[in-house]
Amino acid sequence: MMTCAHPLCSSIVRKGVVGVTGALLILFVLGHMAGNLLIFLPPEAINGYAEFLHEAGHGALIWLARAGLILLFVIHLGVTIALKYENKKARPIGYAAHDPQVSGWASRHMLLTGIVVLLFVIYHIMHFTLGLTDSSTGWRTLVEGPSRPHYVDVHSMVVHGFRDPYIASFYILCQVVLGLHLWHGGSSLFQSLGINRGPWRAFTAWVGPVVAVVVVAGNCSIPLAIQAGCIPARIDLISAKAAIEAEKGPKPPMPVPGASDINKAVPGH
Amino acid sequence: MKLHLKVWRQAGPQDAGRFENHTVEGVTPDMSFLEMLDVLNDKLLAQGKPPIAFDHDCREGICGSCSMMINGRAHGPTRGTTCQTYMRNFTDGQTVVIEPWRARAFPVMCDLVVDRSAFDRIQQAGGYVSVNTGGAPDGNCLPVPKDNSEKAMDAAQCIGCGACVAACKNASAMLFVAAKVSHLGLLPQGQPERSRRVLAMVAKMDEEGFGNCTNQYECEAVCPKAISADFIARMNRDQIGSTLIPAE
Ligand code: HEM
Ligand code: SF4
Ligand code: FES
């Protein structure tokens, strides 16, 4: 089945690669969640954090992190898809009756939940990182003005983004799917990497579910709190826009031909 | 007791195969599943029809040949081989679906009989100790820690039945190979070839076309000898370690 006979290409080592990349992605997801939760502090907290991420190492850090994450995703994805393809080939004819005894739904749908996570990540980047999908996110560098041109008002962006009930529900749904992926993955990696021994498997069996619940609860708390109106926006979108307009100076009045004559023409005015 | 069987029939490796329906009457609770099939086969023979082919040898749960999927479970509703599965676990009038092990590496030869020689080839790739042991040594001249000997004996229980492959969604042979790698790898005699053994047996396992493990432990749940999936973690350690730090 395998064309490469080197031990590095063996099923077990490739599964180990999925485990290592998965573990690193879990660390990223946990770190990202911790950063997200700063939204519950005064706006300066998350905005300062975002500024730090963008400025650290003269802006090099964030690109290094992004490159690393993309690499992790590509390896994780590429290897799992190759393994999955081989698994499909390993049983060309399935059973008419199949009665799994111990495996849960999450463990049997890792590719599905993984693909949903991938699509979500793409949407999420388009939404908040690039600001392409939502009109409320296109004004990220607002208000602080020319003195701090890189200042990103993440707080207002998130609050306004999640005021849309459709966007908020979509994020919540995707977090649940990510949670299902981690439910199995967060425990499975300890077996793949050969860390389980003796009583350890009973313990590591809890790591996935705990990570999943923490990630889902932590990340979903944000759209839920915003929908419930618990996090006030740092600045109000309407007045902010007005402020910008004001900063730009008064608009030249639109030349409306004969406008002054209209009023005069209406009787009683 | 009367049972309705839906049995896989396949004349030979090239035949497409299909399900066939049979009703078996006069089944008693103390019959084994194989004896129930014997009753049906007697009837088929009397009618001049070909009997249902299935593998069996010891009929006491030690040879591992009586492979078949019964209502979606390897070896049927109880943990144990098919020959040790008794009809008291079925109900009168029940429909029972009987299929061969399904795996690319276990081609169907006839009806429920599959070719499990892929397991033999994995064993031949490294499942041995190639030292000249001479005559029988003194009982205690080679000390083996109690823990290790217990674990090695647990692994050595594997009878090569293939239920682990059959139950796995990926038709992975990891539990079988892990048992074979570990029962030698845990003993002092198995140490010199430990690294070479795991690399060779895993390479053979991959080459034979078994799937990759996704850690769902369906194998462990159906193994008639209760081989623990901890041996899979152990083999993963051995394989990753031997790949990163080659011993020879
Ligand atoms: C935030 C992103 C992700 C994280 C944190 C993550 C985490 C994990 C972890 C920890 C594992 C278990 C590894 C092991 O058992 O050794 C895993 C397995 C897997 N992941 Fe992901 N993953 C992510 C994204 C994806 C994506 C985008 C896909 C897309 C196809 C994917 C597909 C899979 C598959 C198919 C498996 C193998 C499942 C199995 O063993 O049954 N993952 N993932
Ligand atoms: S590990 Fe268990 S299920 Fe697999 S071949 Fe050995 S005895 Fe059979
Ligand atoms: S016939 Fe030997 S184990 Fe069932």
Side-chain angles (χ1 to χ4, degrees):
Chain A
M1 171 169 295
M2 274 297 300
T3 42
C4 159
H6 193 276
L8 273 176
C9 305
S10 65
S11 54
I12 293 178
V13 172
R14 285 182 297 150
K15 196 63 213 285
V17 170
V18 176
V20 171
T21 52
L24 293 172
L25 286 171
I26 286 182
L27 292 181
F28 162 72
V29 166
L30 287 173
H32 190 12
M33 181 196 74
N36 294 344
L37 290 176
L38 292 174
I39 193 94
F40 288 105
L41 299 179
E44 295 70 40
I46 196 163
N47 285 352
Y49 172 63
E51 199 176 3
F52 160 76
L53 287 184
H54 282 261
E55 304 288 315
H58 299 283
L61 182 88
I62 192 152
W63 281 106
L64 213 68
R66 282 171 178 166
L69 280 169
I70 290 172
L71 197 68
L72 284 181
F73 257 99
V74 168
I75 296 174
H76 187 82
L77 228 97
V79 177
T80 50
I81 287 174
L83 291 170
K84 181 79 190 174
Y85 171 71
E86 291 170 14
N87 291 346
K88 285 268 170 239
K89 273 207 311 192
R91 173 161 297 140
I93 302 173
Y95 293 107
H98 194 199
D99 181 16
Q101 297 301 301
V102 289
S103 58
W105 190 93
S107 77
R108 282 185 265 123
H109 297 85
M110 287 298 276
L111 191 62
L112 174 73
T113 52
I115 288 171
V116 172
V117 169
L118 177 69
L119 296 178
F120 166 71
V121 168
I122 293 172
Y123 166 76
H124 178 53
I125 289 172
M126 283 166 54
H127 181 211
F128 277 150
T129 310
L130 303 175
L132 296 176
T133 61
D134 177 359
S135 60
S136 68
T137 54
W139 49 286
R140 289 171 303 148
T141 52
L142 265 185
V143 176
E144 293 299 322
S147 58
R148 299 165 81 187
H150 299 299
Y151 191 87
V152 179
D153 186 3
V154 170
H155 188 273
S156 306
M157 174 180 83
V158 171
V159 172
H160 286 295
F162 285 154
R163 276 185 179 173
D164 181 329
Y166 292 106
I167 293 181
S169 338
F170 182 68
Y171 267 83
I172 290 169
L173 183 77
C174 290
Q175 287 308 302
V176 171
V177 175
L178 171 63
L180 286 169
H181 197 79
L182 302 185
W183 188 280
H184 176 67
S187 294
S188 166
L189 72 99
F190 293 97
Q191 180 79 355
S192 298
L193 296 175
I195 296 166
N196 285 343
R197 60 174 91 199
W200 274 93
R201 182 148 55 101
F203 172 74
T204 59
W206 284 99
V207 175
V210 167
V211 168
V213 168
V214 167
V215 167
V216 174
N219 281 340
C220 291
S221 69
I222 297 165
L224 287 175
I226 291 169
Q227 278 293 310
C230 301
I231 306 180
R234 177 175 162 276
I235 41 169
D236 174 57
L237 182 56
I238 311 286
S239 55
K241 274 190 175 148
I244 290 208
E245 305 288 297
E247 213 172 80
K248 280 187 196 154
K251 273 186 191 170
M254 283 245 271
V256 181
S260 50
D261 303 333
I262 293 173
N263 282 348
K264 280 181 206 151
V266 177
H269 280 262
Chain B
M1 198 159 116
K2 184 163 115 181
L3 285 183
H4 304 290
L5 305 187
K6 195 178 159 194
V7 194
W8 185 257
R9 300 306 301 267
Q10 184 171 337
Q14 305 308 325
D15 182 23
R18 78 229 154 264
F19 279 103
E20 209 172 79
N21 294 317
H22 290 283
T23 300
V24 201
E25 307 204 21
V27 177
T28 59
D30 54 341
M31 280 182 181
S32 77
F33 200 86
L34 296 188
E35 284 164 343
M36 183 274 295
L37 288 177
D38 291 339
V39 170
L40 173 61
N41 277 347
D42 280 350
K43 189 176 108 185
L44 291 175
L45 279 168
Q47 294 170 348
K49 293 181 188 158
I52 297 160
F54 59 87
D55 261 334
H56 61 109
D57 185 24
C58 70
R59 295 212 176 195
E60 56 183 15
I62 53 170
C63 74
S65 61
C66 51
S67 56
M68 61 189 78
M69 206 73 174
I70 303 168
N71 277 346
R73 277 174 75 172
H75 293 140
T78 52
R79 191 194 254 204
T81 55
T82 309
C83 58
Q84 297 302 302
T85 297
Y86 290 90
M87 297 317 293
R88 57 175 172 267
N89 298 299
F90 296 84
T91 51
D92 190 29
Q94 193 180 346
T95 299
V96 182
V97 183
I98 312 173
E99 299 172 80
W101 287 171
R102 293 292 190 193
R104 191 168 80 117
F106 287 166
V108 175
M109 305 312 286
C110 184
D111 298 342
L112 304 174
V113 178
V114 300
D115 176 2
R116 282 177 293 129
S117 59
F119 271 10
D120 302 336
R121 292 189 290 276
I122 294 172
Q123 276 289 70
Q124 286 156 9
Y128 48 77
V129 170
S130 44
V131 287
N132 188 352
T133 51
D138 280 352
N140 290 328
C141 76
L142 192 60
V144 182
K146 171 85 173 142
D147 236 28
N148 286 2
S149 73
E150 292 282 339
K151 278 196 198 127
M153 287 305 158
D154 286 349
Q157 294 275 314
C158 170
I159 53 177
C161 65
C164 43
V165 175
C168 173
K169 140 177 155 320
N170 314 312
S172 165
M174 290 283 276
L175 193 61
F176 165 78
V177 181
K180 296 302 173 195
V181 162
S182 300
H183 94 255
L184 295 174
L186 278 159
L187 296 174
Q189 294 90 333
Q191 295 315 306
E193 289 164 300
R194 181 168 168 180
S195 185
R196 198 196 312 162
R197 176 181 308 113
V198 68
L199 293 177
M201 291 179 79
V202 169
K204 196 68 192 173
M205 167 182 87
D206 290 347
E207 187 194 318
E208 290 289 344
F210 292 102
N212 310 297
C213 185
T214 48
N215 306 326
Q216 291 166 295
Y217 313 129
E218 290 290 348
C219 50
E220 186 185 57
V222 299
C223 173
K225 298 297 157 185
I227 305 288
S228 164
D230 289 349
F231 288 120
I232 296 182
R234 192 174 188 284
M235 175 166 71
N236 289 344
R237 277 200 291 285
D238 266 11
Q239 172 79 4
I240 295 171
S242 304
T243 303
L244 298 183
I245 312 154
E248 292 146 55

